[in-house]
Amino acid sequence: MNLITNHMPTAELQRLDAAHHLHPFSHGHALNAKGARVITRAKGVTLTDSDGNEYLDGMAGLWCVNIGYGREELAEAAARQMKELPYYNTFFQTTHAPVIALAERIANLTPYDLNHIFFASSGSEANDTNIRLVRTYWEAKGKPSKRAIISRKNAYHGSSMGSASLGGMAAMHAQGGMPIPDIHHIDQPYWYGEGGDTDPEEFGKVRARQLEQKILELGADNVAAFIGEPIQGAGGVIIPPASYWPEIQRICDEHDILLIADEVICGFGRTGQWFGSQTLDIRPQIMTVAKGLSSGYQPIGGSIVNDEVADVLNSVEFSHGYTYSGHPVACAVALENLRILDEEGIVTRAGAETAPYLAEKWATLADHPLVGEAVTCGMLASLALTPHKASRAKFAAEKGTAGLICRDRCFANNLVMRHVGDRMVVSPPLIITKAEIDTLVERAWTAFDETQARLEHEGLMKAAG
Ligand SMILES: *Cc1c(COP(=O)(O)O)cnc(C)c1O
């Protein structure tokens, strides 16, 4: 057997990766020709690759390493749990201490009466649970016709058949026969990109009222739920106008539609409070969580429901569950993660000190000639690249061309920033310091200079007609 270790030459690791590993969301041949970047270790907000280069991880992995890398307490919690009880299921009338403790901890952290959690191993699984859960809820209430779920274009809710159907990513729907039936999509509250000359607050209401139109079109008796991310993450960190969520809330309440807040990114401190629903003043009956719940140290997610939903669901046998629902090691690690986020004041400090600092520094990037808007909410930030600031113009080149060049220039400047089309986004570990934010913004500015030079050189600074 071959031992594959970090000490192997980069080229050899890349060759083996290309030979046997299929990457998510990648064009395999193009990636394999180039060779994947090999990450070997990480500490705090810093990643190290197999050639010894260090990067400031502006993305906290995939929006998940809220606590930062290298917390030994989490490794120890995992080791302890593995020695005591590495696995047992929660089917067949059994339970165990880590799952009980975590469920109670989450119930204490969540707002309102969101006191009950159904565990999964990812956000995708949790949203698949939600599809079955809301339909089972309405059946148990004697309203089996309430089956449709309304979501939004450019939403991201996961990559399984159910969750990707809830999502509104056109490229995903184009492969594999999605969306599944009875899922409907309305337009997103993206004022910068789609608002034209409308006042942003007016635009927020207009987009929210599409939900009401869709409910009336389908008949409220046929609609089970609306799902939305408080702030769209993978769609480009799109912060809705303040008018949007109150209007969505009113419509859900008036038409007796369950409101699901997908908190997979927004949860566990990302928006400066424990949950995005608190920051955006949303009162959901159901929340989806994953990512920051364990800071990515273990795969775990879940559907959190309020007292009434739990009570109705508990009146029937819900024929649903995963082998790893409430996995003891994942629960033990998540519990330790939440303890540290809370006791070290990481969420509180991110909200009170770091997020305002990020907002101030991020805003300076709007002065760059290539940047059309620069916005933040808590520890989420995004900006739009544009060939023409004043008109908020899009590039004439294929969407994502400028974004991809910019992403690569960020890497070349030792910064991990993600591009979503021609928006650049960051979601750093919550423990990032002010000095590290300065570094992030300095490197971003340099990367934007280099991107602009490249775009000009290639004649790509042209606005779409
Ligand atoms: C990442 C994400 C998911 C999917 O989570 P996985 O753990 O990748 O399955 C769902 N919803 C939102 C909002 C996400 O950002």
Side-chain angles (χ1 to χ4, degrees):
M1 199 189 85
N2 292 320
L3 265 182
I4 298 178
T5 74
N6 279 336
H7 304 293
M8 283 174 94
T10 301
E12 182 61 4
L13 289 167
Q14 288 172 330
R15 188 187 66 75
L16 289 167
D17 184 70
H20 305 294
H21 177 206
L22 299 170
H23 286 248
F25 290 97
S26 303
H27 187 290
H29 287 156
L31 174 66
N32 292 341
K34 203 170 136 202
R37 194 173 282 106
V38 182
I39 301 299
T40 51
R41 54 180 59 83
K43 183 96 186 153
V45 300
T46 306
L47 303 168
T48 307
D49 75 11
S50 53
D51 296 326
N53 301 307
E54 292 192 341
Y55 305 89
L56 196 168
D57 185 6
M59 282 306 297
L62 267 179
W63 325 81
C64 55
V65 189
N66 291 10
I67 204 174
Y69 296 96
R71 291 300 301 238
E72 299 209 344
E73 299 92 327
L74 273 63
E76 278 154 18
R80 245 188 341 264
Q81 188 57 48
M82 281 198 197
K83 289 176 196 169
E84 193 171 293
L85 179 71
Y87 175 74
Y88 201 71
N89 67 70
T90 51
F91 293 26
F92 318 133
Q93 308 188 352
T94 56
T95 192
H96 49 72
V99 77
I100 297 167
L102 182 61
E104 195 227 6
R105 188 81 187 89
I106 291 171
N108 288 336
L109 285 173
T110 49
Y112 325 126
D113 59 344
L114 292 158
N115 289 324
H116 316 265
I117 179 160
F118 192 105
F119 283 108
S121 298
S122 68
S124 300
E125 285 182 1
N127 276 327
D128 274 19
T129 297
N130 285 336
I131 295 174
R132 303 197 56 212
L133 191 154
V134 297
R135 290 175 177 169
T136 306
Y137 165 91
W138 287 114
E139 270 166 34
K141 283 187 85 149
K143 296 186 176 174
S145 67
K146 282 176 85 71
R147 284 179 50 80
I149 303 173
I150 301 172
S151 177
R152 292 144 349 142
K153 292 173 193 161
N154 199 36
Y156 189 79
H157 296 300
S159 198
S160 58
M161 284 298 286
S163 62
S165 294
L166 290 177
M169 297 294 174
M172 295 176 77
H173 287 182
Q175 295 172 327
M178 286 182 284
I180 59 170
D182 295 321
I183 313 264
H184 303 266
H185 297 85
I186 59 173
D187 288 321
Q188 58 178 335
Y190 180 26
W191 177 80
Y192 178 89
E194 301 176 0
D197 295 334
T198 323
D199 169 72
E201 296 310 320
E202 180 55 29
F203 178 76
K205 281 191 195 154
V206 168
R207 285 289 156 104
R209 284 178 193 150
Q210 282 195 10
L211 174 60
E212 196 151 46
Q213 287 154 17
K214 184 58 82 178
I215 292 169
L216 295 174
E217 178 191 321
L218 298 167
D221 284 348
N222 299 316
V223 181
F226 171 76
I227 184 167
E229 305 153 80
I231 292 169
Q232 287 156 265
V237 180
I238 291 161
I239 303 168
S243 59
Y244 181 76
W245 275 110
E247 191 65 4
I248 291 281
Q249 183 81 56
R250 175 193 69 75
I251 294 164
C252 288
D253 292 348
E254 276 183 29
H255 296 276
D256 204 14
I257 307 296
L258 292 170
L259 175 50
I260 308 170
D262 185 338
E263 294 263 6
V264 171
I265 287 176
C266 291
F268 304 103
R270 180 54 59 197
T271 66
Q273 300 191 58
W274 278 96
F275 295 95
S277 292
Q278 294 164 308
T279 304
L280 286 105
D281 200 16
I282 309 167
R283 283 185 146 268
Q285 286 89 1
I286 301 172
M287 291 195 326
T288 319
V289 292
K291 295 192 171 119
L293 168 57
S294 65
S295 285
Y297 281 57
Q298 283 284 296
I300 185 166
S303 309
I304 306 174
V305 305
N306 72 6
D307 291 343
E308 198 265 341
V309 173
D311 199 44
V312 172
L313 195 67
N314 282 334
S315 71
V316 297
E317 179 169 339
F318 187 30
S319 300
H320 177 69
Y322 307 106
T323 301
Y324 299 135
S325 286
H327 191 288
V329 178
C331 288
V333 170
L335 199 57
E336 185 65 359
N337 174 58
L338 298 181
R339 184 189 70 74
I340 294 174
L341 286 177
D342 183 23
E343 287 180 13
E344 293 186 4
I346 292 171
V347 172
T348 314
R349 193 167 51 252
E353 291 176 34
T354 326
Y357 190 77
L358 176 66
E360 185 191 321
K361 293 288 150 177
W362 191 258
T364 65
L365 291 171
D367 295 335
H368 196 281
L370 197 56
V371 175
E373 71 159 0
V375 294
T376 70
C377 177
M379 299 298 284
L380 282 169
S382 65
L383 51 82
L385 302 178
T386 177
H388 189 243
K389 263 171 131 66
S391 62
R392 314 204 309 264
K394 298 181 175 78
F395 290 93
E398 194 189 338
K399 186 177 164 189
T401 307
L404 183 61
I405 291 171
C406 188
R407 204 261 324 259
D408 287 345
R409 294 326 303 160
C410 288
F411 262 116
N413 283 282
N414 303 86
L415 172 65
V416 180
M417 213 196 270
R418 180 163 160 186
H419 82 106
V420 176
D422 295 317
R423 283 185 84 79
M424 303 304 297
V425 305
V426 296
S427 165
L430 303 184
I431 50 114
I432 192 170
T433 62
K434 291 179 182 175
E436 287 163 341
I437 288 173
D438 291 344
T439 304
L440 187 160
V441 169
E442 278 160 30
R443 289 180 187 175
W445 190 281
T446 308
F448 297 166
D449 280 348
E450 292 175 10
T451 303
Q452 190 182 352
R454 212 14 230 289
L455 292 171
E456 277 164 2
H457 181 72
E458 295 185 17
L460 292 170
M461 281 297 279
K462 288 198 197 82

